[in-house]
Amino acid sequence: MAGLEAQGLTKRFGRVVAAREVSFLVKEGELFALLGPSGCGKTTVLRLLAGLAEPDSGRVFIAGREVTALPPERRGVGMVFQTYALFPHLTVSGNIAYGLRFGRLSRRARARRVEELLELVELPGYGRRRVHELSQGQRQRVALARALAPRPKVLLLDEPLSALDAALRLDLRKELRALLKGLSITSVHVTHDQGEALAISDRLGVMRAGELVEVGPPEALYRAPRTPFVASFLGRANLWPAVVVETGEGVAVVEVGGERIACEGEDVPPGTEVLLFSRPEEVQLGAGDLRAEVKAAEFLGDRWEVHAVFTGQPLILYSPAPVRPGETVAFGFSRPPRLLPREGETAQ
Amino acid sequence: MTGRRGAGTVLALLPLAFLALAFFLPLAQVLSQGVREGGRWTSGRLAEVLADPYVRHLLRFTLEQALLSAGLSLALGFPLGWLLARYDFPGKGFLRAFTLVPFVLPPITVALGFILFFGNAGYLNRGLMAALHLPSPPLRVLYSLWGIVLAHAFYNAPVFARFVSTAWEGLDPEPLEAARTLGARPWQAFLTVTLPQLLPAVLSAFSLVFVFCFLSFAIPLALGGARYATVEVGVYMYARALGDTPRAAALALVEICISLGLTYLYLRGGGLFLARDGGGRPLSRVRFPSRPAHLLWLPYLALAVLVFLGPLGAVVADSFLRPWGGKAPTLSWYAYVFSGKSNPFLGTSPVGSIALSLEVGTAAAALALVLGMIVAAVLRRLRSTLLEALLMAPLAVSSVVLGLALLLAFGRPPLAALGRGPAAIVLAHTLITYPFVVRVIRPLWEGLDPALVEAARTLGAGRLRSFLTVELPLLSRGLLLAASFSFALSLGEMTAVIMLARPGLVTMPLAIYQFLSSSARQFGAASAMATLLILVAGATIWLWELAGRRWLARYGGT
């Protein structure tokens, strides 16, 4: 059974289309991430799921039941807000217990549930603290505990880590994933941070300008995107205009600036204009017969990021040792490049 | 969201219907008497009123005293604002709190204080006569133009101090420092850089104070008499002393036109000025007193103590020192004020008037709170200038005109159904005070993170529940402040009361006025009652300056 389903969600604000025909399905217990640049409509989609905004068209199903016409308080969703939106007039316990007030729990059962959640988010003994006495990281945990307390069917997270500093963000995203997987709760996690989406989700959807461009497991989307936008948004990418010259047996040979390169690909008729796509880590330095001229090299600590030019096209690759600008280097591919259609824009 | 907008529209109908019935209809009925005769529209009465020499005298005097009052307020208030903005000294918090005085201190207590302190037989003249062995009082300022102007200056100088100090503290110090590096001496830099930047605040305060003084009622009534009367007093006298409602209505129309024009100038000229944010670095302050040059402040400080503390001190002192049966000091005036003995000039006992004031103040504050909340909720959802103008309209109408409108409206259905009790006064005070509730609550409400309510909604609270459990608790202290303000305002309000009063239906400020003006002249009773009002005003200021600040510190950080 589906944990959550969005069917053709469309929302306009005046003349701006914030979400256009957005459809996706989240399996029960699955952690789904919605990724996209700011202003792409991902938060709008989340608000449509929560019932905090009404769609112009489209439907929302939670645990198999249509909830499109229900107000937020009757949808059984929990939400973690970007600003956390903790109630400043209540204590930590008061915040966590807030969503339990409206059920049929006894006072004692409520207190027990609050203790349980404080344990879960590793803040035991913090119940009587006031919200303004907590650090940002602690606030984030309280917001999560508050959203989980009424045992929602679906948990919605709106950029839950963006208010934290970089180091804390990395720690908490590991914890967050472990915690949500431990609970097997269906979740939708909205973020603009590719690393976060790749690390945290079971599957992810990439949005651009109100449209859901691609959906898939993180690794598949990273390695084999179907659009130049996703290829360039999910990480560093070498994207070169190329023309197919030969095909057969899962291999397509393309020409880039007079050089022939063998790529993964089938059924692409010779003469088709395509984009050659490879990740920098798939480019092997010193192995192969292609030549590029180094323009700049940037030291990243564990390696060098090399910016070079190959037949007029920019090439990014990683090198364990320093290379000098002006140097000509030989390179090949540890994994054959893939072919993408020449349509849409890239994210770079 | 269409649903939200729809709910907002329905909500807007509530206050609009209430105002239509209790404000716009009565006002239209009164004002139309000024331009209608025998069922036809006419401008004849307006022309007649404008040609009347007494009305011309009223208009001229009102404008003249307002101009002089605003000028003197500026002269007295600017240095006070300077002190607050540029110096640190013990008691500064008290002084800053004092600048709230004009907003909560009843004018009749100020008038009483002036009579007791500056009057021919007042403390100042008696002190001077004793000290200098003079045969007659040397200062004769009361019952003249200057008495009124001085009382208005007492009342409005703090407004200047507040505007000027706020603007000054918000100034970026860097242009001033740049002027110094370019060769300007301190006083040259002050004249060429600081002063021009303060000018908008000064003009803004000037126009506001001018409107206050133009619409002043209690002070000219108590200190001026028929000769030194303002237009506001004129409307009252035509309506209540002469019973000439059409003439009063025509004069009220003239008054409304002038005051609306002035208010418009105020809003255009820089009413928005105060919303401006200050520069990054705060202005450095100087400890006071720390330099010989600070001695130059002494004459001003002496004058300020005399003008500001003299009258208030005189009221408090007089309530104990005025002999009762030959004995002084005495607590007998307080015993009298709290007695149930009927007073013929009040038509009730003094304690009866205190009870009525508390009753009216509580009811008006409660109603103003509800009405103000609804209006704030409506204006939060539907942003429309027209709607805002309609919903805040009572702010633009003077209290005498409002009182007159309600006086006539309570004589006929549907408002007559509310009876001849204090309902009319409660309604008047609700209409006078709810705009202030809106002004306090609306920015607080709009400042709340909308995600708080959304969080409550996703946690299972419905619209009403999330309002009751999240928004209301977060606004509660603001509501308490607004309620205290409404209560204090109602307790001190005399203008609408004097229009609506009947024997027996007399509130505290009106009782003070009766003690002063009746042939019995019971100054001791007036002082004791005025001291009670000063205490209420002081408590309100304390709540605003201390509790209000602490509250902001508590919730502002999160």
Side-chain angles (χ1 to χ4, degrees):
Chain A
M1 188 174 65
L4 176 136
E5 188 180 354
Q7 277 185 3
L9 289 177
T10 299
K11 177 72 177 174
R12 289 183 193 84
F13 293 110
R15 293 169 66 189
V16 181
V17 184
R20 188 196 301 274
E21 291 288 324
V22 173
S23 301
F24 59 90
L25 199 143
V26 186
K27 292 191 282 272
E28 199 165 341
E30 190 178 37
L31 213 171
F32 185 84
L34 267 181
L35 173 69
S38 61
C40 73
K42 55 194 190 300
T43 294
T44 300
V45 170
L46 201 71
R47 293 171 61 82
L48 293 174
L49 298 178
L52 295 172
E54 293 165 27
D56 296 325
S57 62
R59 310 205 286 173
V60 179
F61 296 84
I62 289 175
R65 191 168 67 114
E66 175 163 8
V67 297
T68 318
L70 293 184
E73 65 268 21
R74 293 180 54 205
R75 292 195 176 197
V77 297
M79 183 150 169
V80 176
F81 290 79
Q82 187 169 9
T83 56
Y84 307 144
L86 296 178
F87 304 129
H89 60 301
L90 300 177
T91 59
V92 168
S93 286
N95 266 281
I96 298 176
Y98 185 88
L100 304 171
R101 287 192 202 179
F102 314 111
R104 263 166 297 173
L105 284 184
S106 69
R107 185 179 290 263
R108 186 178 298 175
R110 256 189 270 171
R112 212 166 36 232
R113 178 80 180 135
V114 170
E115 286 309 314
E116 226 172 271
L117 281 153
L118 284 172
E119 292 282 339
L120 183 75
V121 296
E122 292 172 12
L123 287 173
Y126 277 71
R128 305 183 116 188
R129 300 274 183 106
R130 293 227 151 235
V131 169
H132 65 260
E133 297 167 350
L134 303 180
S135 69
Q136 282 294 318
Q138 290 168 333
R139 286 179 201 191
Q140 198 273 339
R141 289 159 195 256
V142 174
L144 182 65
R146 181 179 70 178
L148 289 171
R151 301 183 196 278
K153 297 188 194 82
V154 174
L155 184 67
L156 307 172
L157 304 112
D158 185 9
E159 304 264 11
L161 304 174
S162 67
L164 306 173
D165 56 54
L168 190 58
R169 193 154 57 215
L170 293 184
D171 284 347
L172 275 180
R173 87 181 183 204
K174 249 182 285 163
E175 283 179 31
L176 185 61
R177 174 166 170 89
L179 194 145
L180 296 181
K181 292 318 284 180
L183 295 170
S184 326
I185 184 168
T186 311
S187 338
V188 179
H189 180 123
V190 158
T191 178
H192 67 274
D193 179 336
Q194 313 89 314
E196 188 175 310
L198 291 171
I200 215 166
S201 65
D202 297 324
R203 276 193 314 135
L204 68 100
V206 181
M207 285 190 70
R208 183 186 54 173
E211 292 184 61
L212 191 58
V213 189
E214 275 187 67
V215 178
E219 206 177 333
L221 279 194
Y222 180 81
R223 300 259 173 242
R226 292 193 308 277
T227 57
F229 176 77
V230 173
S232 54
F233 190 69
L234 278 185
R236 298 272 192 184
N238 293 305
L239 287 165
W240 302 330
V243 179
V244 179
V245 290
E246 246 182 81
T247 49
E249 299 278 313
V251 179
V253 177
V254 301
E255 210 179 77
V256 179
E259 299 277 358
R260 292 192 155 213
I261 302 172
C263 301
E264 280 178 17
E266 290 178 78
D267 303 332
V268 195
T272 311
E273 297 197 323
V274 293
L275 280 176
L276 177 149
F277 159 71
S278 72
R279 294 283 178 203
E281 63 270 22
E282 297 163 357
V283 179
Q284 243 181 339
L285 194 64
D289 48 8
L290 300 170
R291 295 281 182 277
E293 191 190 340
V294 175
K295 287 292 176 198
E298 200 181 352
F299 184 50
L300 297 183
D302 54 342
R303 63 199 157 161
W304 293 77
E305 184 177 285
V306 181
H307 295 259
V309 174
F310 164 67
T311 66
Q313 296 297 324
L315 165 69
I316 305 173
L317 56 89
Y318 299 130
S319 161
V323 284
R324 275 192 307 277
E327 203 177 326
T328 299
V329 293
F331 72 94
F333 293 97
S334 60
R335 182 188 167 187
R338 277 76 65 207
L339 299 181
L340 297 177
R342 259 199 224 180
E343 61 190 32
E345 328 140 29
T346 64
Q348 281 166 353
Chain B
M1 269 180 279
T2 48
R4 234 182 120 92
R5 242 191 123 70
T9 311
V10 172
L11 198 62
L13 290 177
L14 281 172
L16 281 176
F18 175 79
L19 288 181
L21 199 69
F23 177 71
F24 289 111
L25 190 64
L27 191 68
Q29 280 170 342
V30 165
L31 294 183
S32 68
Q33 291 201 26
V35 283
R36 281 178 80 86
E37 211 162 1
R40 297 215 330 272
W41 296 98
T42 168
S43 61
R45 190 168 286 126
L46 270 180
E48 185 190 317
V49 162
L50 283 174
D52 185 323
Y54 182 62
V55 169
R56 285 170 169 242
H57 162 77
L58 282 182
L59 281 170
R60 199 167 41 240
F61 175 77
T62 307
L63 290 169
E64 188 186 14
Q65 64 82 22
L67 195 65
L68 290 172
S69 300
L72 190 60
S73 303
L74 170 62
L76 267 175
F78 191 89
L80 199 60
W82 187 344
L83 268 179
L84 285 172
R86 298 294 288 119
Y87 296 102
D88 274 328
F89 49 91
K92 186 173 167 178
F94 175 79
L95 195 62
R96 182 175 293 281
F98 182 78
T99 59
L100 279 175
V101 153
F103 300 99
V104 287
L105 191 68
I108 190 67
T109 59
V110 175
L112 174 65
F114 269 71
I115 294 172
L116 293 174
F117 191 68
F118 289 111
N120 291 348
Y123 285 92
L124 188 60
N125 271 321
R126 276 190 282 158
L128 287 174
M129 281 159 70
L132 306 174
H133 306 290
L134 297 172
S136 63
L139 294 170
R140 292 174 183 275
V141 289
L142 233 48
Y143 307 111
S144 72
L145 169 66
W146 287 104
I148 295 172
V149 167
L150 194 62
H152 281 162
F154 165 93
Y155 215 52
N156 291 303
V159 175
F160 276 100
R162 215 168 170 81
F163 272 59
V164 166
S165 69
T166 307
W168 208 328
E169 282 167 347
L171 286 188
D172 183 356
E174 278 182 359
L176 195 66
E177 290 162 0
R180 298 293 304 281
T181 62
L182 292 168
R185 292 166 188 278
W187 63 269
Q188 288 168 324
F190 172 78
L191 285 182
T192 54
V193 178
T194 307
L195 208 53
Q197 292 189 83
L198 293 178
L199 207 58
V202 169
L203 289 178
S204 185
F206 194 91
S207 46
L208 187 65
V209 166
F210 190 86
V211 176
F212 282 170
C213 296
F214 181 82
L215 293 177
S216 181
F217 177 78
I219 287 174
L221 183 71
L223 298 182
R227 178 138 177 251
Y228 300 107
T230 55
V231 178
E232 190 83 340
V233 174
V235 175
Y236 159 70
M237 291 205 292
Y238 277 125
R240 295 269 354 217
L242 305 174
D244 187 349
T245 311
R247 188 169 269 255
L251 188 54
L253 262 179
V254 174
E255 186 193 16
I256 284 180
C257 290
I258 298 176
S259 70
L260 275 183
L262 292 172
T263 311
Y264 177 75
L265 282 182
Y266 161 67
L267 291 174
R268 280 299 300 272
L272 302 170
F273 167 84
L274 288 177
R276 203 184 63 129
D277 272 344
R281 191 152 53 91
L283 219 59
S284 66
R285 292 203 192 86
V286 183
R287 281 188 56 77
F288 183 85
S290 63
R291 291 178 202 162
H294 290 168
L295 283 175
L296 292 174
W297 278 96
L298 269 183
Y300 171 75
L301 289 176
L303 185 70
V305 166
L306 202 69
V307 173
F308 292 124
L309 293 185
L312 288 183
V315 171
V316 178
D318 194 65
S319 69
F320 299 105
L321 296 181
R322 178 129 336 227
W324 168 284
K327 266 201 339 198
T330 174
L331 286 174
S332 305
W333 292 112
Y334 286 96
Y336 173 72
V337 156
F338 283 109
S339 76
K341 215 160 77 183
S342 181
N343 179 313
F345 297 107
L346 308 183
T348 176
S349 62
V351 78
S353 80
I354 294 178
L356 178 68
S357 271
L358 295 179
E359 197 183 312
V360 167
T362 310
L367 281 174
L369 218 50
V370 173
L371 185 57
M373 273 298 266
I374 296 176
V375 169
V378 169
L379 293 180
R380 218 175 116 250
R381 281 168 183 228
L382 309 172
R383 299 187 175 276
S384 140
T385 319
L386 176 68
L387 194 65
E388 182 164 355
L390 281 177
L391 289 176
M392 299 293 268
L395 212 51
V397 174
S398 80
S399 301
V400 161
V401 176
L402 180 66
L404 179 60
L406 289 179
L407 179 70
L408 299 185
F410 268 76
R412 60 166 96 86
L415 290 182
L418 290 172
R420 286 172 50 77
I425 300 179
V426 170
L427 193 58
H429 286 180
T430 304
L431 289 170
I432 290 170
T433 61
Y434 86 84
F436 295 98
V437 175
V438 176
R439 287 199 165 174
V440 173
I441 292 303
R442 205 173 145 200
L444 284 178
W445 207 344
E446 284 172 357
L448 289 184
D449 183 356
L452 289 172
V453 172
E454 293 176 352
R457 297 295 300 277
T458 60
L459 289 166
R463 191 172 281 170
L464 182 65
R465 268 227 184 105
S466 66
F467 170 74
L468 291 177
T469 56
V470 175
E471 284 169 295
L472 204 57
L474 286 174
L475 296 175
S476 61
R477 316 248 173 147
L479 287 170
L480 181 70
L481 291 184
S484 73
F485 192 71
S486 300
F487 182 75
L489 221 56
S490 164
L491 229 54
E493 206 285 331
M494 186 180 96
T495 315
V497 169
I498 207 169
M499 296 298 293
L500 296 166
R502 285 179 290 103
L505 204 62
V506 168
T507 61
M508 288 167 79
L510 189 52
I512 295 172
Y513 177 65
Q514 299 288 25
F515 288 139
L516 284 186
S517 60
S518 65
S519 46
R521 286 239 158 193
Q522 293 169 292
F523 276 112
S527 295
M529 206 169 259
T531 303
L532 296 179
L533 287 180
I534 290 172
L535 278 179
V536 172
T540 310
I541 291 173
W542 174 83
L543 200 65
W544 273 71
E545 280 291 312
L546 296 173
R549 195 162 289 173
R550 203 158 41 199
W551 172 61
L552 283 181
R554 190 152 172 196
Y555 284 147
T558 50

